[in-house]
């Protein structure tokens, strides 16, 4: 990995994190050590390797579930096959593809003629989308 995109394990703060997400295209930067530290820090660490294609994913679904004892909340930018997780059963890894957020934000910016697109546009869009998920699909 480049100095700008290095494994979180090199950080002294790795054990303080509960979520990791990136779309940086650096394969395998979500390491076993970091996932295990996150699992020790929270019951359900959130791990979102968003890079495409699957070969560029920051971690595989199988690794993330194995490294967290099957307790992670996982979503990726690329599809991963279903897998059997010991003590949990069959898991179909979720895709949290950015296709749900970016086009809507872009349309809003274009439609309103906004001159800026600050980060909070994306966090608000993500929170709004998350609130649309019904209990039967959680």
């Amino acid at each position: 990995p480049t100095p700008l995109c290095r494994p979180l394990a090199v950080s002294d703060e790795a054990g303080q994190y509960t979520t990791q997400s990136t779309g940086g295209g650096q394969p395998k930067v979500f390491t076993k050590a970091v996932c295990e530290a996150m699992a020790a820090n929270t019951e359900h660490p959130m791990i979102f390797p968003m890079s495409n294609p699957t070969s560029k994913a920051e971690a595989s679904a199988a690794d993330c579930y194995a490294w967290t004892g099957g307790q992670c909340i996982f979503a990726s930018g690329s599809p991963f096959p279903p897998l059997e997780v010991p003590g949990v059963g069959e898991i179909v890894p979720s895709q949290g593809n950015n296709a749900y957020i970016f086009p809507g934000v872009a349309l809003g910016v274009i439609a309103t003629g906004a001159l800026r697109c600050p980060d909070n546009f994306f966090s608000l869009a993500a929170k709004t989308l998350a609130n649309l998920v019904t209990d039967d699909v959680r």
Side-chain angles (χ1 to χ4, degrees), residues 23-137:
Q26 293 282 331
K28 303 183 191 270
V29 295
F30 293 175
T31 65
K32 180 179 181 183
V34 172
C35 290
E36 287 176 343
M38 288 174 48
N41 193 43
T42 185
E43 186 176 354
H44 298 287
M46 296 182 288
I47 305 173
F48 307 130
M50 299 306 288
S51 292
N52 290 303
T54 305
S55 63
K56 298 278 189 184
E58 293 75 14
S60 71
D63 284 345
C64 292
Y65 284 108
W67 296 338
T68 63
Q71 296 303 304
C72 68
I73 297 170
F74 180 92
S76 63
S78 295
F80 282 93
L83 61 136
E84 190 70 27
V85 176
V88 176
E90 183 179 65
I91 299 262
V92 178
S94 297
Q95 269 189 269
N97 203 310
N98 52 22
Y100 295 113
I101 299 296
F102 291 131
V105 171
L107 178 61
V109 167
I110 293 167
T112 62
L115 299 176
R116 292 184 176 82
C117 186
D119 289 346
N120 69 338
F121 280 20
F122 292 97
S123 58
L124 179 60
K127 289 175 185 175
T128 301
L129 180 63
N131 287 329
L132 295 174
V133 177
T134 58
D135 287 336
D136 61 318
V137 295

